[in-house]
Amino acid sequence: MIIPAKNKPVLPLTISVKEIESIVEWFDQHQRSLYIIGWSYLGSQLKIEELFYRAILQVHKELPKFTRSTSFELRVLSIFIRICRELSIENSLIASEESIFHALQQLKEQEREVLVLTYIKGFSREQAAQLFQVSPEEIKELLFSGFQLLRKGLGNGECYQGCKEYQKLYVDYLERKLERRRKIDFEMHIYHCHNCQDDLASLQETILNFSETIETFSEPAGFMENVKERVSQRENLLKQKKTKRKRIGLILASVLVLFMCTGFFTGIFSKIYYSLTEENQELRVFLQEDLGERLGLEAESNGVKIKIKSVIADEIQTLIFYEIEDTNENNQYMINIDDGIFIEDEMKIMVANTYPRYFPPDMELDLNKKEKNIYHGKMSLRPLKENDATIQLNINKVMKLKRNSSGSYVNMVPEEGEWKFDIPVTKNPSVEYALDEEVEIEGAAVLIDKLILAPTGTILQYGLKNEQPEKRIEMINFKNLEINNKLAEADLYGNSYVHAQNDLRWSKFQAHFKPLFEKETDEVKVRFDSVYLSIVENKTIALDASKVYPQTFEYAGSTISIDKVEVGQPSIVVISNHEIKNRAYESLNFNIVTEEENISMEGDYKGVIVDKNGKEYDMNKSPFIYEELEQPRHFFTVQSFKIKGEKVVPKSLDIFGYNTTKYLDNEVELDTELIVKDEAGT
């Protein structure tokens, strides 16, 4: 007979929500069994100390939500196991030197947890079933499969083949839980079946070995003292912060009285007040400039709480600052404006021919590093038509943020829910200045058209010629603008097409810069960073699938290789050039001519990213963060094409030209002319 460990659940009579010491004491009383559970996941004392520390804090945080319908111990163990899982994912597993634990660490998550709870914590199957929200019968099946895998992990399970219908009774028989009639039938079968005899004996030996290991296992002396010290230090720090907040509150109260008495409450006080009370530095500046107010709208779904902190609106966009808290686990979520949000009557209240700005997840923001379960973000919506409106925002999906293994970028996993907000918004005015000056950049004409000073951003509108010269600017990257001796840095994601084009000679674009909160200026300095050029240079190269490849040809000062021309289903053409140093082009504009018309092609491209200093980054191998590179260029190295159809024959490679980036150091100083709008905004 196998008897589970004797330490039965002991429920505390009273635990104070405010006193974390009582929770620490409960963990101290149960440290041995909890330590063994932690060891089965982590195999490291340092990690288990971190496990105990996090679990104590999380229990203290969730304690007000505990109910009498579920035992205290079950709730604590649910939290404890959840953090075990998190730490086992965050850290590479250190296998225990003890062979039983090494084998235990290889089990599937649920099988391992059922074994440790029933044979370490002494839980009944009913208690384990309640914790994992499964039936007691499923717990029995998990016990059997867990011990089978444990036996296999110890190198003893390959040669045992008991009868499946009787294997289901092994655990009940060994724990003396079989009713008499079934027990007699089972023993009669075992007496005659040598396979089941060997199988049962081997499994019993594994269970005995496991139980003996647990009984002789002991946690390190003084283990809980380290955990208690960390909790104590944290509590002292929190008390200091509370004292500091009280002191700040007294100072604010004094300042409030002072400014109210002197008549300077508006403006000066708001700058001091928000500098002390608003964590988000970007939002803080808007609030200090009196461009918005705190809202504090909240909605919760599936344990994910979204708070709308504030809205800053102008004629460019409606900028919403939000905060998302995972109240159950340590996940961070963001809102994706392209997936999961709906605005009622959007086209009635918002300007139709505009598109919201894109803001990627900002995991490097100090606030987003502060707490693992809270994300601070912003999203851009279309600008309002009227000065005042209520935005009925419905969100049915948020994106869970997770870094990839290299930590270089963030994966977004959608999770559904339902969050609804009625958001009151007041639009702030913007000021527009006409510039209307044509300049020459890299031999091509550029129209510097308009300057817009808005609360949420500074915008420079410019135009590119619609003609098709031999050298054409496709895109301009600006360095900064200087207005009233203030620099506005360019926004990396800030180039947008102007949909309302009133001059057919030019294609108008808007470059976005950081806000300066300026309303008047008589001049602006424009500094350029780089241009992306399209160069016309025609060349035709005959293709012949009967020839031996690779073959090379010269173009734009480079030697380009035709690696493959193959007729089949599909037909394939591959060209390459891995030499990028001093190469004139970054990518080629070309077409593959075939004997047939109206064919379809599928392309595949490989390349490298090169920063201004010449350092290369392989897009498929090297981890890097694109936003942190200085003036990156993208060089294509291999271009492969599959031509779909019945053995389509490629005849020639027709090159029309190429694209390249030129770095600039140009500066243009322009006078401004205020544009006065009528009541209709024209």
Side-chain angles (χ1 to χ4, degrees), residues 223-339:
F223 162 75
M224 273 301 292
E225 299 309 313
N226 296 334
V227 178
K228 290 178 181 179
E229 180 64 23
R230 287 187 65 185
V231 174
S232 177
Q233 289 176 357
R234 179 182 180 275
E235 288 302 296
N236 290 335
L237 182 61
L238 288 175
K239 289 176 182 178
Q240 292 173 12
K241 287 184 177 180
K242 287 179 181 178
T243 303
K244 183 179 178 181
R245 281 199 292 268
K246 288 180 181 178
R247 189 164 60 247
I248 290 173
L250 291 173
I251 294 171
L252 285 175
S254 303
V255 172
L256 173 60
V257 172
L258 173 64
F259 284 127
M260 290 184 70
C261 292
T262 56
F264 291 104
F265 177 76
T266 304
I268 298 174
F269 175 72
S270 65
K271 282 183 168 53
I272 297 174
Y273 174 76
Y274 290 121
S275 68
L276 295 172
T277 61
E278 179 52 54
E279 292 181 290
N280 189 317
Q281 189 172 352
E282 184 179 4
L283 175 58
R284 181 196 308 160
V285 176
F286 285 119
L287 297 176
Q288 288 175 328
E289 294 290 336
D290 199 27
L291 295 169
E293 60 183 20
R294 282 196 173 122
L295 296 176
L297 305 174
E298 291 186 6
E300 186 171 346
S301 178
N302 299 329
V304 177
K305 183 190 294 183
I306 300 179
K307 179 188 292 185
I308 304 297
K309 298 187 68 176
S310 188
V311 179
I312 315 298
D314 56 24
E315 295 175 8
I316 297 174
Q317 63 183 329
T318 303
L319 192 59
I320 296 181
F321 287 87
Y322 65 85
E323 178 184 301
I324 302 183
E325 178 184 1
D326 184 352
T327 62
N328 293 331
E329 299 182 23
N330 283 331
N331 295 312
Q332 289 182 303
Y333 296 88
M334 73 167 288
I335 300 171
N336 183 1
I337 61 168
D338 295 321
D339 190 8

Side-chain angles (χ1 to χ4, degrees), residues 152-169:
K152 185 177 180 181
L154 293 169
N156 301 323
E158 297 292 343
C159 56
Y160 297 104
Q161 299 293 332
C163 301
K164 288 187 177 180
E165 63 270 28
Y166 286 95
Q167 282 181 330
K168 298 176 182 179
L169 305 177

Side-chain angles (χ1 to χ4, degrees), residues 37 52 343 433 450 462 465 469 482 573 643 680:
I37 293 173
F52 270 64
I343 300 169
Y433 290 92
K450 187 189 297 183
Y462 65 96
K465 278 278 189 180
E482 184 175 336
V573 176
I643 308 170

Side-chain angles (χ1 to χ4, degrees), residues 33 94 109 124 161 290 292 421 502 523 546 555 577 593 607 632 634:
S33 58
I94 299 176
E109 193 172 76
S124 67
Q161 299 293 332
D290 199 27
F421 300 94
N502 53 13
E523 67 177 24
S546 65
Y555 180 78
N577 181 6
V593 180
H634 180 192

Side-chain angles (χ1 to χ4, degrees), residues 443-658:
V446 176
L447 175 66
I448 308 298
D449 184 38
K450 187 189 297 183
L451 175 69
I452 303 173
L453 301 179
T456 66
T458 307
I459 291 182
L460 184 70
Q461 185 164 300
Y462 65 96
L464 301 176
K465 278 278 189 180
N466 281 324
E467 301 170 359
Q468 296 292 334
E470 291 186 358
K471 180 186 285 187
R472 172 186 170 89
I473 296 178
E474 299 291 345
M475 187 175 67
I476 300 176
N477 292 316
F478 295 88
K479 187 176 295 181
N480 59 50
L481 299 178
E482 184 175 336
I483 299 170
N484 298 340
N485 296 318
K486 292 182 179 180
L487 287 181
E489 299 296 332
D491 189 331
L492 180 63
Y493 301 96
N495 271 298
S496 59
Y497 181 73
V498 178
H499 293 271
Q501 299 283 343
N502 53 13
D503 189 342
L504 297 179
R505 296 172 303 166
W506 302 92
S507 292
K508 299 287 182 66
F509 299 85
Q510 289 186 340
H512 292 251
F513 300 79
K514 303 301 181 185
L516 291 176
F517 309 110
E518 293 290 317
K519 296 180 180 178
E520 295 182 3
T521 185
D522 54 9
E523 67 177 24
V524 56
K525 291 180 182 178
V526 182
R527 296 187 178 94
F528 297 84
D529 192 45
S530 64
V531 288
Y532 189 62
L533 298 169
S534 179
I535 311 296
V536 176
E537 186 175 328
N538 294 297
K539 188 178 183 74
T540 298
I541 301 95
L543 301 176
D544 187 347
S546 65
K547 290 184 178 180
V548 178
Y549 289 91
Q551 295 195 16
T552 62
F553 64 91
E554 300 297 316
Y555 180 78
S558 294
T559 300
I560 301 173
S561 172
I562 303 175
D563 297 333
K564 181 185 291 187
V565 178
E566 188 177 279
V567 176
Q569 294 177 324
S571 298
I572 297 173
V573 176
V574 180
I575 64 173
S576 66
N577 181 6
H578 296 275
E579 180 58 51
I580 63 173
K581 188 174 182 180
N582 300 322
R583 199 170 90 180
Y585 72 92
E586 293 167 25
S587 61
L588 298 175
N589 301 317
F590 62 90
N591 182 40
I592 298 174
V593 180
T594 66
E595 291 181 339
E596 299 181 19
E597 297 181 357
N598 301 321
I599 60 164
S600 64
M601 288 193 297
E602 181 181 303
D604 184 30
Y605 307 89
K606 294 181 181 178
V608 295
I609 297 290
V610 181
D611 65 18
K612 190 176 181 181
N613 300 316
K615 184 176 180 180
E616 298 180 17
Y617 302 83
D618 189 324
M619 293 180 63
N620 301 310
K621 297 179 181 178
S622 302
F624 63 92
I625 301 175
Y626 185 83
E627 291 83 355
E628 294 182 0
L629 303 185
E630 184 180 3
Q631 298 178 320
R633 302 173 69 187
H634 180 192
F635 287 87
F636 285 7
T637 55
V638 180
Q639 295 176 263
S640 307
F641 292 90
K642 294 179 180 179
I643 308 170
K644 298 180 180 179
E646 184 71 24
K647 294 186 177 181
V648 178
V649 179
K651 300 299 293 181
S652 66
L653 177 68
D654 287 4
I655 302 177
F656 313 125
Y658 59 88

